[in-house]
Amino acid sequence: MSEHVSHFPNAVAGRRGKLTLLAFSPASRRYATPVVLVPALIGAPTLFDLAPEASLVGALLAHGFAVYLVDWGRYGYEDRDLSLETVVTGLLDFVARRVRAREGRGPVAFVGYCMGGTLVALGAALGIVRAIDPIVALAAPVAFGDGGGRLVRWCAPDVLDLDRVLHLFGNVPAHMIEAAFLLLRPTARVRARLAESAAPDRAPTRAAIARWAETWLDLPGAFARDWIGALYRGNLLATGRLRLGGRAIHLGAIRSPLLVLAADGDTIAPRASCEPLAAAVGSSDVTFTALPGGHIALIAGRPARSSTYAIVASWLASRTGSRSGA
């Protein structure tokens, strides 16, 4: 059951395990292509829908898109065997099939943020996301070598004893994830409070961001082994050595129209970790844009409304036809 409380009317479009797929309908639908928003497993989907004035959901609805929001759910010890393969070939595949069952066989746009964008890329390499489906990757890391930043170093075996963590907890617990991201941005909360005092009109949105940043979720143990071992430690995705379900994953197999957005000040998914996706895919329609700001500001900060939201909506609009009769 989804815990997300939206600012816009919605309905449950499907459930699979702990995953809930929420459907939002615009007041006046203009575009035939629906948009699926895919967050990371470790954070609530709220970041796509923080407040009426800070909501990618709301921005897309206002442009006339039908929107679907993936809520992966809150995983516990009983989910410790949930793997990266199952998330992509089971859960993401379910989402894609469910949306197509409701919308028809035409294009479905996928917008993935952070880990969610990487999962969409994996799905595209496997054909779950099709060549006709536009993809927007927001701060989505794919290269985890020298450009991966401090998280790559912190995930190294001599720093993170992943076996011990999973032996003790089954999953990577939310408090460890929160601590890591707080260390990446140690002054963020103080700066947010100062900015809130200087601009009281933005206080509600900043408070919503703060609430989201305090609701990290456990990462299932098997998924963590795959994610940290294969990507952060092995860099297998960028080097073409990753395998899921016995199949090799090559980013060059992706043929979808692709928009990659990165943030110049991102310490969680550095630009150098995100930009290689644009060069690696086999798509003929590829756009890369770097915006100022950090990881969360890209999707939820004040500039997101006039930059990220506008760029995403405009790019999607130029790659989808108007709905018949609209």
Side-chain angles (χ1 to χ4, degrees):
M1 190 73 175
S2 176
E3 298 178 9
H4 179 60
V5 178
S6 179
H7 306 280
F8 304 93
N10 62 87
V12 174
R15 291 194 178 97
R16 172 66 64 88
K18 292 185 176 180
L19 180 149
T20 303
L21 180 64
L22 300 175
F24 299 77
S25 297
S28 177
R29 185 163 178 176
R30 182 179 178 188
Y31 299 104
T33 299
V35 182
V36 181
L37 303 179
V38 184
L41 268 70
I42 55 175
T46 308
L47 200 60
F48 282 118
D49 188 23
L50 281 169
E53 68 280 2
S55 171
L56 182 56
V57 170
L60 292 171
L61 290 174
H63 276 82
F65 288 98
V67 178
Y68 291 84
L69 177 62
V70 174
D71 184 343
W72 298 107
R74 186 180 294 272
Y75 294 114
Y77 182 78
E78 68 277 9
D79 304 299
R80 62 193 181 279
D81 294 326
L82 184 68
S83 67
L84 175 61
E85 178 185 337
T86 300
V87 169
V88 176
T89 64
L91 298 181
L92 185 62
D93 181 67
F94 164 77
V95 168
R97 291 178 183 276
R98 186 62 181 150
V99 173
R100 290 177 196 132
R102 290 170 59 95
E103 298 282 346
R105 298 296 299 176
V108 175
F110 289 82
V111 178
Y113 172 68
C114 190
M115 178 192 288
T118 311
L119 294 175
V120 170
L122 295 176
L126 288 171
I128 294 168
V129 176
R130 305 160 301 175
I132 64 171
D133 297 331
I135 295 172
V136 178
L138 301 172
V142 296
F144 298 85
D146 294 339
R150 280 177 285 175
L151 274 180
V152 171
R153 297 192 292 274
W154 292 354
C155 286
D158 59 337
V159 177
L160 173 64
D161 189 343
L162 184 60
D163 288 338
R164 182 166 177 77
V165 170
L166 299 183
H167 175 73
L168 290 172
F169 301 105
N171 301 325
V172 177
H175 69 264
M176 289 187 64
I177 296 169
E178 180 180 14
F181 286 113
L182 183 59
L183 286 171
L184 283 171
R185 304 168 63 250
T187 64
R189 291 181 179 175
V190 174
R191 286 188 285 108
R193 293 290 183 266
L194 292 174
E196 184 176 316
S197 299
D201 59 309
R202 290 156 53 191
T205 299
R206 291 190 177 278
I209 294 175
R211 286 194 298 271
W212 176 86
E214 294 171 356
T215 56
W216 298 100
L217 306 175
D218 286 8
L219 188 64
F223 185 100
R225 284 191 187 280
D226 297 334
W227 188 261
I228 294 173
L231 301 188
Y232 275 89
R233 292 178 177 176
N235 197 25
L236 301 188
L237 177 57
T239 56
R241 295 176 291 139
L242 181 66
R243 300 184 69 85
L244 287 181
R247 296 175 58 184
I249 304 297
H250 296 292
L251 294 174
I254 299 174
R255 297 289 190 271
S256 304
L258 175 67
L259 170 63
V260 177
L261 292 185
D264 281 328
D266 197 334
T267 56
I268 294 171
R271 171 177 174 169
S273 181
C274 303
E275 188 171 1
L277 177 61
V281 300
S283 310
S284 58
D285 179 2
V286 180
T287 303
F288 172 79
T289 300
L291 298 173
H295 191 69
I296 295 177
L298 183 69
I299 186 68
R302 185 183 185 186
R305 281 173 277 171
S306 57
S307 57
T308 304
Y309 297 174
I311 290 169
V312 170
S314 176
W315 186 87
L316 289 173
S318 67
R319 285 157 182 81
T320 181
S322 296
R323 188 170 182 174
S324 178

